[in-house]
């Protein structure tokens, strides 16, 4: 018991010693925060958060230090909802928990998750050692060693010092990262201190880990929003899912890397020579021969993609595993065989992969094993092309209900081709995977645009929308340049920028950029500019009177073709009439004739001066309301969701064509597939199996992701999910790596 008490003191001392470093990191983070370019609505919260932390950060550290010291001895210095003195206790009347308390609990739960996502293994070992010393099965609920206690103390001290939760949310990234590092180091140092005193120094600690439903949790449960009980290792994805749906939080961007990191740490404890930083290590000759033999047998037994049930495939692969392990010459090769087998065991039991495609995934196991043996970073990075290929193919064929959806013949044929190409080049390592990955992504673009019946029409319409919006921006840019130093009346100038540029773009999309109709609307712009300049002679006034009726007809026809409502057309025409009347009465400025001639020449050559569309970004502030594009086949999302954070915008840009989602919009909740993304991913088109197209601009897409109105069918990539499954099985029985 004395050793246990000293261990807690060691842990607390480590926390206290690291607070100065943590504070320095936060202050360093706040330095450039105000100089970064963000949405206008984020500027004030950032400024307020930085100011608050500069004034009250020291008070927070002082309060937190005192709380850590008090909690070290088991004293509960900071209350929490549900404690004896809290609302809803048996000793007092029932009452609602206030919003502030709920927000504080949510913030604390997120911090605890961030800590345990990094420090789960160190905590597992420390908990086992403390259980051994204190002769108990589990730590107390309010033990300072628990991540949720550290997190609660940190958040409560934050509020006690006068800092608000909005400031915490602004600084959340650095707070999560630094607390995770701090607590992980404290766990590590405490474990090292106990090992130095021979506390379970030479014993495998996995048997001491408390199990739940046959799966190693790795650490205790914490409480998420709404009272969900969520576990740590093995339960991170569940907690992430609940937080996403309850609070609209993006799953951690580095979640996949964290899963791989935990796998490598776990394997490294059993097999130190298994290093992801090791150089390329070709498989031994006996293993290469065995892999070739197994691959040939697989190709023969499931030739042409003959359908096999998942149990039959697993039985086949299990027999191969034993054959391969017998051929392996080193422990590292045996461990690699085991891990790859567990990965594919998980992939092949995924019931949302159609049976006709599952066999092609099965045939990828030997090529992947060959790469994994030779390239250790297969287990270190989610960017390895072999992983990315499996994830991309999986995302395309895994919707929400495989029984209600068939994979198209063209897509199934392409997956077959990809696998056969990989099999045909066994000695090229990652290069063949990278090559076919690039080809597969090009295929998807062509497939959804030309071959998939549900998406073909929607993609065509979406491309027209993007082409029109891009051209409208290009025309606006060039018109602004032309009129920059020309004294054109403000009403005419605004009409050209806001209305006529879009009319020109619409006409160019419908009739071609060199079509007669397009040239006519361009000439109308020139006529309008000339007509709106001061007319000081009788001849000029007569010419205006002659030109005006056909000009107004062209303007009305153009606005009609662009879908501008009749009432707004009348408003624009009324404004233009006022400008033309001022010009007719010589109240407008005179445009010098040489400027006017130069302007006419540039307008006639406008098409040749347009900037490259690749450099144009569709800025929501520059384009018209996209709702004008709606029709029976294309729905444009113009509202819904919440103001997205930069992280959500980044997530929206990372979505990949072919992935499935559940969309909640306009009273419908249905599965949709991302089938097209425009230039710079500013527009994204989702299509339902019935062919209904839903078009998002990037900002609105991020809003829907944040609000949980657009949920991915796969909460994590196929290989990440498989890695987590393998991690749990190895954690529960490490001996299988070397058997």
């Amino acid at each position: 018991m004395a050793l246990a008490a000293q261990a807690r003191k060691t842990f607390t001392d480590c926390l206290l010693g690291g607070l100065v470093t943590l504070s320095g990191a936060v202050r360093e983070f706040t330095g450039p925060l105000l100089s970064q370019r963000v949405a206008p609505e984020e500027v004030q919260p950032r400024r307020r958060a930085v100011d608050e932390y500069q004034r009250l950060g020291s008070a927070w550290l002082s309060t937190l230090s005192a709380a850590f010291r008090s909690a070290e001895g088991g004293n509960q210095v900071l209350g929490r909802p549900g404690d004896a003195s809290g609302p809803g206790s048996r000793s007092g009347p029932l009452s609602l928990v206030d919003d502030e308390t709920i927000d504080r609990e949510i913030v604390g739960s997120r911090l605890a998750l961030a800590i345990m996502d990094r420090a789960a293994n160190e905590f597992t070992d420390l908990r086992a050692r403390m259980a051994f010393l204190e002769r108990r099965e589990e730590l107390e609920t309010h033990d300072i060693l628990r991540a949720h206690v550290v997190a609660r103390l940190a958040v409560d001290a934050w509020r006690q010092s006068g800092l608000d939760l909005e400031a915490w949310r602004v600084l959340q990234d650095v707070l999560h990262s630094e607390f995770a590092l701090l607590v992980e180091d404290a766990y590590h140092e405490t474990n090292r201190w106990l090992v130095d005193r021979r506390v379970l120094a030479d014993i495998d600690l996995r048997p001491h880990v408390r199990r739940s439903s046959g799966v190693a949790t790795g650490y205790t449960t914490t409480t998420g929003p709404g009272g969900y009980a969520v576990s740590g290792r093995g339960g991170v994805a569940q907690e992430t899912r609940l937080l996403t749906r309850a609070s609209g939080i993006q799953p951690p961007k580095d979640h996949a890397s964290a899963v791989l990191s935990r796998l490598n740490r776990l394997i490294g404890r059993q097999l130190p020579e298994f290093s992801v930083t090791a150089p390329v290590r070709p498989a031994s000759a006996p293993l290469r021969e065995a892999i070739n033999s197994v691959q040939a047998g697989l190709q023969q037994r499931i030739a042409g993609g003959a359908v096999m049930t998942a149990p039959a495939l697993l039985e086949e692969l299990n027999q191969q595993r034993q054959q391969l392990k017998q051929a392996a010459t080193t422990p590292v090769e045996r461990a690699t065989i085991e891990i790859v087998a567990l990965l594919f065991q998980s992939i092949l039991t995924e019931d949302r992969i159609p049976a006709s495609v599952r066999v092609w995934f099965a045939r990828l196991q030997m090529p992947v094993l060959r790469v994994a043996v030779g390239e250790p970073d297969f287990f270190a990075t989610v960017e390895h092309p072999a992983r990315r290929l499996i994830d991309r193919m999986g995302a395309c064929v895994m919707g929400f209900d495989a029984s209600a959806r068939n994979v198209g013949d063209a897509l199934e044929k392409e997956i077959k081709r990809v696998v056969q190409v990989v099999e045909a080049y066994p000695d090229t390592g990652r290069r063949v995977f990278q090559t076919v990955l690039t080809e597969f992504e090009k295929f998807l673009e062509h497939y959804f645009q030309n071959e998939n019946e549900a998406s073909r029409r929607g993609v065509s319409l979406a491309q027209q929308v993007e082409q029109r919006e891009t051209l409208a921006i290009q025309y606006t840019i060039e018109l602004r340049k032309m009129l920059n130093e020309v004294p054109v009346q403000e009403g005419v100038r605004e009409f050209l920028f806001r209305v006529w540029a879009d009319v020109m773009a619409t006409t160019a999309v419908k009739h071609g950029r060199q079509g007669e109709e397009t040239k006519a609307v361009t000439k109308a712009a020139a006529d309008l500019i000339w007509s709106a300049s001061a007319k000081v002679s009788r001849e000029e006034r007569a010419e205006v009177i002659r030109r005006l009726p056909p000009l107004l007809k062209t303007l009305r026809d153009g606005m009609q073709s662009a879908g501008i409502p009749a009432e707004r057309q009348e408003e624009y025409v009324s404004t233009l009439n006022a400008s033309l009347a001022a010009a007719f009465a010589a109240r407008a400025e005179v445009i010098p004739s040489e400027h006017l001639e130069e302007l006419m020449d540039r307008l006639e050559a406008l098409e040749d001066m347009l900037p490259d569309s690749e450099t144009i970004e569709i800025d929501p502030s520059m384009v018209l309301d996209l709702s004008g594009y709606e029709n029976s086949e294309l729905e444009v999302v113009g509202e819904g969701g919440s103001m997205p954070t930069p992280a959500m915008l980044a997530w929206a840009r990372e979505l990949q064509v072919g992935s499935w989602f559940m969309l909640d919009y306009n009273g419908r909740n249905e599965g949709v597939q991302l089938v097209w993304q425009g230039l710079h991913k500013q527009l994204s088109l989702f299509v339902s199996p019935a062919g209904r197209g839903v078009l998002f601009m990037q900002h609105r897409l991020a809003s829907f992701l944040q609000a949980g109105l657009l949920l991915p069918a796969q909460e994590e990539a196929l290989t990440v999910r498989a890695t987590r499954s393998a991690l749990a099985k190895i954690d529960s029985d490490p001996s299988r790596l070397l058997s």
Side-chain angles (χ1 to χ4, degrees), residues 457-458 460-473 498-499 501-507 509-510 561-565 618 622-637 683 685 692-693 695 697:
R457 175 61 177 164
S460 176
L461 292 172
Q463 288 175 327
Q464 291 177 35
V465 171
E466 180 181 55
Q467 185 182 3
R468 173 177 163 180
E469 292 304 318
T470 303
L471 277 173
I473 294 171
R498 296 185 177 276
V499 179
D502 186 59
V503 171
M504 293 165 65
T506 303
T507 308
V509 170
K510 289 182 178 178
S561 69
I564 297 175
I618 298 179
M622 295 180 65
V623 300
L624 300 177
D625 181 4
L626 293 185
S627 61
Y629 295 107
E630 288 206 18
N631 56 46
S632 61
E633 298 172 292
L634 184 67
E635 190 168 353
V636 179
V637 180
L683 293 175
L685 176 67
R692 178 59 175 168
L695 186 66
M697 291 193 70

Side-chain angles (χ1 to χ4, degrees), residues 34 36-49:
L34 298 182
Q36 296 173 358
R37 296 184 63 183
V38 295
E41 61 273 7
E42 294 183 38
V43 173
Q44 190 60 31
R46 286 192 171 204
R47 183 175 292 113
R48 189 164 50 245

